[in-house]
Amino acid sequence: MTLSIRHDWSIEEIQGLLELPLMELLWQAQNVHREANPGYRVQLASLLSVKTGGCEEDCAYCSQSIHNSSDVSAFEAQMQVEPILQRAKAAKDAGADRFCMGWAWREIRDGAPFEAMLEMVRGVRAMGMEACVTAGMLSDHQAQRLAAAGLTAYNHNLDTSPEHYDRIISTRTYQERLETLQRVRQAGVTLCCGGIIGMGETLRDRASMLQVLAGMDPHPESVPVNGLVAVEGTPLEGQAPFEPLDLVRMVATARILMPRSRVRLSAGRESMNREAQILCLQAGADSIFYGDTLLTTGNPDVDADRQLLNDAGVQAAWTEKTALATAPSN
Ligand code: SAM
Ligand code: DTB
Ligand code: SF4
């Protein structure tokens, strides 16, 4: 089978995939996944919050917004490069292949914390790991400096569909998100861009978000699929839990739409049983966040994840895939 890479999916086509009988959807996703990822390798990415809380944006799901009243402990290590690199080394020793660092900022500002960020990126790359940063909006010049420091990927999510977006965030527009992504792409850094389910969106919203992602050329090299972690103190704290099989469907559909991207099974695994997580791997997820915490919330512990991968019969992947996905299609 030759994988066809398309950027012109309609919302109806994508919704049609999301609505397929589960077995049929899994079969289609499996065919794509086996071709794109022989051997079912899964990338292990560790996540660390370098600057926690105090963010000016009002994202309704986020514990770190000043507009919400969640209790997050401020881990102020943004100027301290060494402790962060020690955490990166520990992640590498535990088997991680990618180290992702988060700053709860509306946008990056120039100055000492940004210089420290560049040092952290250089240090992680020098250890032989991929380095990913998520820190809000940035300028062209900042994107270029991150690229020069060796940054592998910049994470900036769409979060939801353009239609549902206004119910989730008011302080930053969808268009601003797309412009940030464009700046990252132009600087030659790969994109990590995905979204969240379980925030009261419709099936059409899910299809619409996937359409924006699949419409990007090239596709984002990494597509995180998050299930909402309903954090106390956020406007979404009372949201009904997402249905794990819906996350399986999102992963499978993302895999069909973006055959060569890494589809990253991200937040929400703590509210899924092992079998649902294994279904996500079967549906085409080829990366997980690995380590006991995400940014401010929990994640399955390392031993449980080793056991999970072992029981699923999949191996950890190494870095060769990012380069493959970066090549523009046709
Ligand atoms: N300020 C940066 C930004 O928004 O780009 C930094 C990190 S932000 C926390 C990264 C992403 O994590 C968000 O865009 C969102 O998709 C996801 N996320 C944050 N809180 C979440 C939650 N409670 N449940 C699920 N996903 C979440
Ligand atoms: C992404 O899409 N998910 C990760 C990563 N990118 C930065 C973050 C998940 C955060 C979950 C909530 C928390 O721990 O605060
Ligand atoms: Fe700030 Fe990012 Fe949280 Fe939004 S998701 S409030 S931008 S840290």
Side-chain angles (χ1 to χ4, degrees), residues 7 11 19 32 43 80 92 94 104 154 163 190 207 215 257 262 271 273:
H7 303 276
I11 295 186
E19 284 175 326
V32 174
Q43 186 187 46
Q80 298 163 31
K92 183 184 157 109
Y154 195 82
E163 299 78 19
T190 71
L257 300 178
R262 277 196 194 284
S271 52
N273 64 21

Side-chain angles (χ1 to χ4, degrees), residues 41-82:
R41 290 179 186 275
V42 169
Q43 186 187 46
L44 305 180
S46 266
L47 190 53
L48 180 66
S49 180
V50 177
K51 193 271 175 183
T52 308
C55 181
E56 294 145 21
E57 304 278 7
D58 67 353
C59 309
Y61 51 77
C62 188
S63 59
Q64 304 198 62
S65 164
I66 52 171
H67 304 269
N68 302 337
S69 58
S70 309
D71 188 15
V72 289
S73 51
F75 173 56
E76 284 300 329
Q78 46 177 329
M79 304 297 292
Q80 298 163 31
V81 176
E82 266 319 303

Side-chain angles (χ1 to χ4, degrees), residues 2 5 43 47 107 113 312 323:
T2 311
I5 307 284
Q43 186 187 46
L47 190 53
E107 76 253 294

